[in-house]
């Protein structure tokens, strides 16, 4: 459970490995920085001495994901690299119910679904591209401060629906903060359009139980 680089950088697709039953392989890493999963267990492939044999490892998951990305680009040639990656992610199958709660939120969007990735172009992909925080004072967040968080969102794929909502929740460090207002309606964002919640920022209260220099991990669901 660690961020691995360069896979963990922005604009890089980080791939975890799964078995044929969509369970994370024991040899695969997992983390919040993972984007997608792909099969990597007992993959029948070429081997030394002129034979084929089953092999296991994320070294097989990664090229499967790369091949899927290449086919997306072939199917949608006008897509940019970021759009190809987003299409790969939004068309994944959710596999969290098949995996231990240890891996919650740490297997990316799920296991890639190539058929869906090259046939379904109706799914939006709204991404938080940057954010800013203020307490309307000195911006040194301490106990009893109320933080306002504004996000700027880009939609890389199909237009979103009128009911598009962004919701902020706490993954860890919940004893340090309380989310006072964690929901905002973004509405319709066209393909390659952008929006923000500047008129309705998320509001977070820093509790008196928060020690100095505490870290809080948030989850944003769009």
């Amino acid at each position: 459970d660690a961020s691995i680089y360069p896979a963990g950088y922005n604009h890089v697709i980080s791939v975890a490995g799964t078995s044929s039953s969509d369970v994370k392989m024991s040899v695969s890493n997992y983390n919040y920085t993972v984007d997608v999963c792909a099969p990597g267990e007992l993959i029948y492939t070429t081997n030394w001495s002129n034979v084929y044999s089953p092999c296991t490892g994320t070294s097989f998951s990664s090229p499967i994901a790369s091949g899927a990305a290449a086919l997306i680009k072939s199917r949608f040639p006008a897509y940019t690299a970021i759009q190809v990656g987003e299409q790969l992610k939004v068309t994944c199958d959710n596999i969290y119910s098949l995996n231990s709660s240890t891996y919650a939120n740490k297997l990316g969007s799920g296991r890639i679904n190539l058929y869906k990735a090259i046939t379904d172009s109706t799914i939006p992909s709204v991404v938080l591209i940057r954010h800013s925080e203020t307490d309307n004072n000195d911006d040194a967040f301490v106990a009893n401060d109320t933080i306002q968080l504004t996000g700027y969102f880009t939609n890389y794929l199909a237009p979103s629906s009128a009911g598009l909502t962004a919701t902020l929740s706490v993954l860890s460090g919940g004893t340090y903060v309380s989310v006072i207002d964690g929901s905002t309606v973004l509405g319709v964002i066209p393909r390659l359009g952008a929006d923000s919640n500047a008129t309705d920022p998320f509001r977070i209260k820093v509790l008196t139980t928060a020690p100095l220099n505490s870290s809080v991990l948030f989850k944003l669901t769009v």
Side-chain angles (χ1 to χ4, degrees):
D1 180 16
S3 297
I4 302 297
Y5 296 93
Y9 287 124
N10 287 336
H11 307 307
V12 177
I13 299 295
S14 178
V15 184
T18 50
S19 69
S20 59
S21 56
D22 283 339
V23 173
K24 187 196 78 69
M25 299 186 309
S26 60
V27 297
S28 174
N29 200 357
Y30 59 98
N31 194 265
Y32 296 118
T33 55
V34 168
D35 293 299
V36 299
C37 296
E41 185 175 78
L42 300 178
I43 304 299
Y44 200 60
T45 184
T46 54
N47 212 328
W48 68 282
S49 195
N50 238 9
V51 298
Y52 289 87
S53 61
C55 296
T56 294
T58 53
S59 294
F60 300 94
S61 306
S62 178
I64 288 175
S66 298
L71 289 171
I72 292 171
K73 180 63 176 177
S74 177
R75 176 65 180 83
F76 305 105
Y79 276 10
T80 64
I82 289 179
Q83 286 177 300
V84 168
E86 292 304 308
Q87 180 72 4
L88 186 69
K89 289 190 284 186
V90 300
T91 54
C92 282
D93 289 344
N94 190 314
I95 60 173
Y96 281 108
S97 64
L98 303 174
N99 283 272
S100 164
S101 59
T102 301
Y103 310 128
N105 301 298
K106 296 180 179 181
L107 297 176
S109 300
R111 189 251 308 126
I112 60 173
N113 182 328
L114 178 57
Y115 177 78
K116 191 175 181 181
I118 62 174
T119 58
D120 191 345
S121 58
T122 65
I123 307 174
S125 179
V126 179
V127 179
L128 177 69
I129 57 171
R130 65 183 187 275
H131 55 84
S132 60
E133 302 80 27
T134 182
D135 62 3
N136 290 323
N137 184 16
D138 57 5
D139 291 339
F141 307 138
V142 296
N144 292 318
D145 277 354
T146 297
I147 304 168
Q148 296 187 49
L149 191 156
T150 301
Y152 299 87
F153 303 83
T154 292
N155 180 17
Y156 290 105
L157 296 174
S160 64
S161 66
L164 182 71
T165 301
T167 304
L168 188 74
S169 57
V170 180
L171 280 181
S172 67
T175 58
Y176 303 151
V177 298
S178 173
V179 178
I180 301 171
D181 182 357
S183 182
T184 188
V185 176
L186 298 173
V188 176
I189 306 178
R191 183 191 301 270
L192 298 179
D195 200 356
S196 81
N197 66 327
T199 59
D200 182 24
F202 302 116
R203 296 174 65 238
I204 305 152
K205 179 80 171 183
V206 182
L207 303 178
T208 56
T209 53
L212 292 175
N213 300 316
S214 302
S215 294
V216 179
L217 184 65
F218 292 95
K219 177 181 179 180
L220 184 67
T221 304
V222 180

